[in-house]
C-alpha cells in the first residue's frame, strides 16, 4: 500500500569536502617543470624517498608534455605517475575514473595528505558540484576526478577548457578496449572529450594490458606517438599455485589446508554473496577467524567487517571481487580464489593484492573444470545466437500492427520462437534488439517508466549504503525531478535524468534491484514492444554482427586462456 500522506524524503547526505589550501610548492615561474621539483613533491607530500622503476620515466614524459601509456603491475604505484605531475604543472589535472567508490577512495587519500583534490559525480548535489567547479576555477584544486559520463552534461567540458587543463589522466584505461577484461562503452567517449578539452597531454594507466589492448588504448585515445612504459608483470615476491579439485566440498578442504599451511592475513575470493557467507562459515567451523564481505551487508556491518580485517582482528576476509578497490593493505600474505575468474587479467589484478609490501606472498587458485560453465552462461547471455535473435525479431514482426506495435506481451515470445529456446535466452535476444534500437519498450514507443516510491524517508540512507551508492543516487535524482509526487506515482523518462545511470536499460536494472527491497514499484506505461521499422525484416544494417561475433570470440578466448592457466604444468 502507498502511504496516504506524502512524506519528505531526505536524500541529500553527501558531505561537502573541506576546503584544502593550494599546494605551496607551485611555482609562478614560466620555466618548465623539472624532475627535481617532482622528486621534492614525492618526498615532502607523499613521503617516498624516490620513484619506483617506471615511475620516473612516466613522470619525466608527462612533464615534457608527451602523451604517455603506463603499464605498471598492481601495487606498482600508477597513481603517483599523474598525481605528482599534477602538483608540479601549472593548471588543473582531470582524472577520468570508472567507479564512484574508486575515485572517492583516491580523493580521500589525497585529502588526508593535505593535497587539493576533489571529485564530481552523481553522488553530489548541484550545489556541491557548483562549489567544486568554483574552487577549480579559482585555482584551489590541482586534481579533479570525474566519470566519463559527466562530460554529457552540457557545458561541462567547455568550463574545464576555460579553466585550463594541463593534463588528462585516464585511469584503468583498459576499460576503453573491447579486448580488455573490463570493457566499458562509456570510455569510448574520452577521445571526443579530449578534443573538447583542447587536446591536453594525456597519460593512460593500467595494470593489465596485452599488446592488443595497448594498441587499442593508443588508437581509441588518439595518443600522439606515446611514450610507452612497461615494467613487466612479474612480481618476484609472489608465488602462484593451482590446486585442482572436483567439487565445492573439495575446494573447502583445500582452502582450510592452504590457510593452515601459510601464515599471515588472507583474502579469499568467492563468486557470489551466497558463496561468501557459506565459505566464511566453513572457515569459522575450522577455527579460522574469518568474516564475509559483499554488497548485501548493511553499511555499518560492512564497515565493521572491513575494520576487523584492516586492524587484523581476523585472519581472513571472504569477499566478492568488489573487495580490494582502493583497499591499501600491504601485508596480505595469501590470496585464494575459491572460483576461477573469467580472464587472466582479472585474476592477475585480484591476486596482485597480495604482498604489496614486497615481502614473499602466495596466490592460490582452487580450480574445478565446471568453473568455466558459469562464465560461458554469462557470455552466452551477453551475445545471444544470431539465429535466435532473428527468430525473436520475426515473431515480433508477425505479431505487430502497421505502426510497429507488437500485439503480445514479452513473456509470450518464447512459445512463438519454437525449438528449445529458454525464456532467459529469449530475454537476452530482446535485450540485444533493444540495445541496437531495433525494438523499443513501452506501448507508446518511448522509454518512459511509471515509478511509485514506497519507502519512507528513514530506511533509505540506512539501508542503501556505500555499496548501493548508484541506487541511492538514482532515488535522489528521482526526488529532484518529482518531489513528493513520487508517492502517488510519476512517469519518468530516463533520458531526462542526469548521466551515469546507464541509460534506459541501466535505469530498469536499478529499479529491478530496488523493487524486491520494497523501495519502489515500477512498470512501463502501456507495456509492450514496438518495432523501429514496422514490417521490415532484420538485416545487416540493424545489428553489427561482426562486432558482436568479435566480442563474443574475444571473451571466450580470454576464458580459454584462464582455463589453460589452470592446467599448464609450468609458468
Amino acid at each position: 500500500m502507498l502511504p496516504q500522506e506524502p512524506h519528505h524524503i531526505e536524500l541529500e547526505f553527501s558531505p561537502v569536502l573541506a576546503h584544502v589550501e593550494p599546494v605551496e610548492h607551485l611555482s609562478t615561474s614560466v620555466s618548465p617543470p623539472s624532475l627535481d621539483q617532482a622528486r621534492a613533491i614525492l618526498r615532502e607530500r607523499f613521503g617516498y624517498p624516490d620513484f619506483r622503476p617506471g615511475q620516473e620515466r612516466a613522470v619525466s614524459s608527462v612533464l615534457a608534455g608527451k602523451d604517455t601509456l603506463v603499464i605498471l603491475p598492481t601495487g606498482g604505484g600508477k597513481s603517483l605517475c599523474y598525481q605528482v605531475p599534477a602538483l608540479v604543472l601549472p593548471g588543473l589535472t582531470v582524472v577520468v575514473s570508472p567507479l564512484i567508490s574508486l575515485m572517492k577512495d583516491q580523493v580521500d587519500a589525497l585529502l588526508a595528505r593535505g593535497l587539493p583534490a576533489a571529485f564530481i559525480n552523481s553522488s553530489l548535489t548541484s550545489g556541491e558540484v557548483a562549489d567544486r567547479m568554483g574552487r577549480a576555477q579559482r585555482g584551489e584544486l590541482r586534481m579533479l576526478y570525474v566519470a566519463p559520463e559527466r562530460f554529457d552534461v552540457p557545458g561541462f567540458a567547455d568550463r574545464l577548457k576555460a579553466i585550463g587543463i594541463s593534463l588528462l589522466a585516464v585511469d584503468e584505461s583498459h576499460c576503453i578496449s573491447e579486448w580488455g577484461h573490463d570493457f566499458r562503452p562509456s570510455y569510448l567517449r574520452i577521445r571526443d572529450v579530449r578534443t573538447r578539452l583542447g587536446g591536453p597531454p594525456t597519460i593512460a594507466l593500467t595494470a593489465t594490458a596485452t599488446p592488443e589492448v595497448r594498441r587499442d588504448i593508443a588508437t581509441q585515445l588518439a595518443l600522439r606517438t606515446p611514450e610507452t612504459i612497461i615494467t613487466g608483470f612479474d612480481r618476484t615476491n609472489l608465488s602462484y599455485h593451482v590446486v585442482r579439485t572436483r567439487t565445492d566440498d573439495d575446494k573447502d578442504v583445500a582452502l582450510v589446508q592452504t590457510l593452515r599451511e601459510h601464515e599471515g592475513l588472507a583474502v579469499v575470493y568467492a563468486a557470489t554473496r551466497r558463496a561468501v557467507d557459506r565459505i566464511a562459515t566453513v572457515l569459522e567451523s575450522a577455527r579460522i577467524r574469518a568474516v564475509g564481505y559483499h554488497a548485501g551487508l548493511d553499511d555499518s556491518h560492512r564497515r565493521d567487517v572491513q575494520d576487523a580485517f584492516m586492524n587484523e582482528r581476523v585472519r581472513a576476509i571472504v569477499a566478492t571481487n568488489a573487495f580490494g578497490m582502493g583497499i591499501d593493505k600491504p601485508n596480505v600474505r595469501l590470496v585464494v580464489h575459491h572460483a576461477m575468474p573469467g580472464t587472466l587479467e582479472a585474476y592477475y589484478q585480484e591476486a596482485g593484492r597480495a604482498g604489496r609490501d614486497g615481502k614473499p606472498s602466495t596466490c592460490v587458485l582452487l580450480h574445478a573444470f565446471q568453473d568455466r560453465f558459469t562464465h560461458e552462461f554469462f557470455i552466452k547471455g551477453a551475445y545471444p545466437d544470431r539465429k535466435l535473435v532473428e527468430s525473436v525479431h520475426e515473431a515480433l514482426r508477425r505479431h505487430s500492427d502497421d505502426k510497429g506495435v507488437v500485439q503480445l506481451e514479452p513473456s509470450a515470445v518464447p512459445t512463438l520462437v519454437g525449438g528449445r529456446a529458454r525464456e532467459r535466452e529469449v530475454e537476452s535476444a530482446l535485450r540485444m534488439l533493444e540495445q541496437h534500437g531495433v525494438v523499443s519498450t513501452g506501448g507508446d514507443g518511448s522509454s518512459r517508466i511509471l515509478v511509485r516510491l514506497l519507502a519512507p524517508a528513514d530506511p533509505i540512507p540506512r539501508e542503501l549504503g556505500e555499496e548501493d551508492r548508484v541506487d541511492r543516487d538514482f532515488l535522489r535524482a528521482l526526488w529532484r525531478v518529482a518531489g513528493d509526487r513520487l508517492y502517488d506515482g510519476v512517469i519518468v523518462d530516463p533520458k531526462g535524468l542526469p548521466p551515469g545511470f546507464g541509460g534506459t536499460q541501466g535505469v530498469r536494472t536499478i529499479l529491478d534491484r530496488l523493487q524486491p527491497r520494497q523501495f519502489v514499484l515500477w512498470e512501463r506505461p502501456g507495456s509492450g514492444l514496438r518495432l523501429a521499422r514496422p514490417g521490415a525484416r532484420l538485416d545487416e544494417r540493424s545489428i553489427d554482427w561482426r562486432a558482436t561475433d568479435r566480442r563474443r570470440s574475444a571473451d571466450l578466448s580470454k576464458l580459454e586462456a584462464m582455463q589453460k592457466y589452470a592446467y599448464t604444468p609450468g609458468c
Side-chain angles (χ1 to χ4, degrees), residues 258-265 315 333-334:
T258 300
L259 282 163
R260 286 175 175 162
E261 289 174 354
H262 297 83
E263 296 180 350
L265 288 178
R315 165 79 197 285
R333 296 276 76 90
L334 176 67

Side-chain angles (χ1 to χ4, degrees), residues 112-123:
R113 296 180 182 276
L115 300 175
F119 62 78
I120 290 179
N121 59 40
S122 58
S123 71

Side-chain angles (χ1 to χ4, degrees), residues 388-401 404-414 416-417 426 429-431 433-434 438-441 528-536 538:
L388 175 61
V389 175
E390 290 173 338
S391 296
V392 168
H393 181 267
E394 182 60 21
L396 298 179
R397 193 182 70 81
R398 289 198 314 267
H399 291 81
S400 62
D401 61 20
V405 176
V406 179
Q407 306 297 313
L408 54 88
E409 289 297 312
S411 58
V413 177
L416 298 172
V417 172
V426 171
L430 284 169
R431 190 161 54 245
L433 289 169
E434 187 176 355
V438 178
V439 170
S440 61
T441 54
L529 301 166
R530 180 189 288 262
L531 299 176
R533 293 191 295 151
L538 210 58

Side-chain angles (χ1 to χ4, degrees), residues 94-139:
V94 172
V95 184
V96 178
S97 182
L99 296 173
I100 287 176
S101 59
L102 189 57
M103 67 174 76
K104 183 181 184 303
D105 289 338
Q106 294 262 20
V107 170
D108 285 349
L110 291 166
L111 293 176
R113 296 180 182 276
L115 300 175
F119 62 78
I120 290 179
N121 59 40
S122 58
S123 71
L124 304 180
T125 66
S126 56
E128 288 169 332
V129 171
D131 173 70
R132 295 178 192 200
M133 287 299 290
R135 289 168 57 206
Q137 208 151 8
R138 294 190 297 272

Side-chain angles (χ1 to χ4, degrees), residues 251 340-342 367-379 555-564 567:
K251 288 184 178 183
M340 182 182 76
H367 178 261
F369 179 80
Q370 62 267 26
D371 287 353
R372 71 175 290 139
F373 298 155
T374 300
H375 297 291
E376 287 178 338
F377 173 81
F378 285 115
I379 291 171
D555 284 357
L556 288 171
S557 294
K558 286 182 278 190
L559 177 59
E560 190 64 32
M562 185 70 233
Q563 186 107 52
K564 283 182 179 178
Y567 284 109

Side-chain angles (χ1 to χ4, degrees), residues 516-532:
R517 298 175 68 179
Q518 299 296 306
F519 284 104
V520 298
L521 284 176
W522 79 280
E523 60 187 58
R524 302 182 185 98
S527 65
L529 301 166
R530 180 189 288 262
L531 299 176

Side-chain angles (χ1 to χ4, degrees), residues 166-374:
S166 293
L167 178 66
L168 176 65
V170 184
D171 203 6
E172 308 293 347
S173 60
H174 58 269
C175 293
I176 205 170
S177 172
E178 67 180 45
W179 303 107
H181 69 280
D182 193 18
F183 173 58
R184 295 173 186 249
S186 62
Y187 260 57
L188 294 174
R189 70 188 80 194
I190 299 176
R191 178 173 180 162
D192 176 58
V193 165
R194 186 184 180 200
T195 301
R196 288 154 60 194
L197 293 176
T202 298
I203 178 171
L205 309 103
T206 181
T208 50
T210 62
E212 195 165 32
V213 171
R214 294 200 296 271
R215 286 193 295 270
D216 214 9
I217 292 170
T219 300
Q220 296 291 355
L221 290 175
L223 300 181
R224 300 170 289 247
T225 320
E227 181 84 11
T228 302
I229 295 142
I230 306 171
T231 60
F233 297 99
D234 185 20
R235 290 175 58 197
T236 54
N237 65 311
L238 300 186
S239 59
Y240 295 84
H241 305 270
V242 177
V243 177
R244 295 177 192 167
T245 60
R246 291 177 179 271
T247 66
D248 280 349
D249 288 342
D250 291 346
K251 288 184 178 183
D252 293 345
V253 171
L255 173 61
V256 170
Q257 184 177 340
T258 300
L259 282 163
R260 286 175 175 162
E261 289 174 354
H262 297 83
E263 296 180 350
L265 288 178
V267 175
V268 180
Y269 282 110
T272 65
R273 297 180 186 183
R274 182 179 297 178
V276 165
D277 293 334
R278 188 188 65 78
I279 294 166
T281 301
V282 166
L283 294 183
E284 285 288 340
S285 299
R287 297 186 178 179
I288 297 170
R289 294 204 65 193
V291 287
Y293 182 100
H294 56 67
L297 304 178
D298 63 64
D299 209 22
S300 62
H301 189 184
R302 195 162 45 244
R303 275 197 303 271
D304 290 344
V305 166
Q306 190 167 315
D307 288 345
F309 179 72
M310 297 298 282
N311 295 318
E312 303 183 19
R313 296 193 300 272
V314 296
R315 165 79 197 285
I317 188 165
V318 186
T320 53
N321 62 7
F323 180 79
M325 285 289 192
I327 302 297
D328 186 16
K329 186 65 176 166
N331 61 329
V332 173
R333 296 276 76 90
L334 176 67
V335 172
V336 181
H337 278 76
H338 197 276
M340 182 182 76
T343 69
L344 272 171
E345 294 98 327
Y347 178 65
Y348 171 81
Q349 199 163 49
E350 291 160 17
R353 288 170 185 142
R356 290 192 173 196
D357 56 5
K359 295 180 181 178
S361 303
T362 304
C363 309
V364 177
L365 171 65
L366 306 179
H367 178 261
F369 179 80
Q370 62 267 26
D371 287 353
R372 71 175 290 139
F373 298 155
T374 300

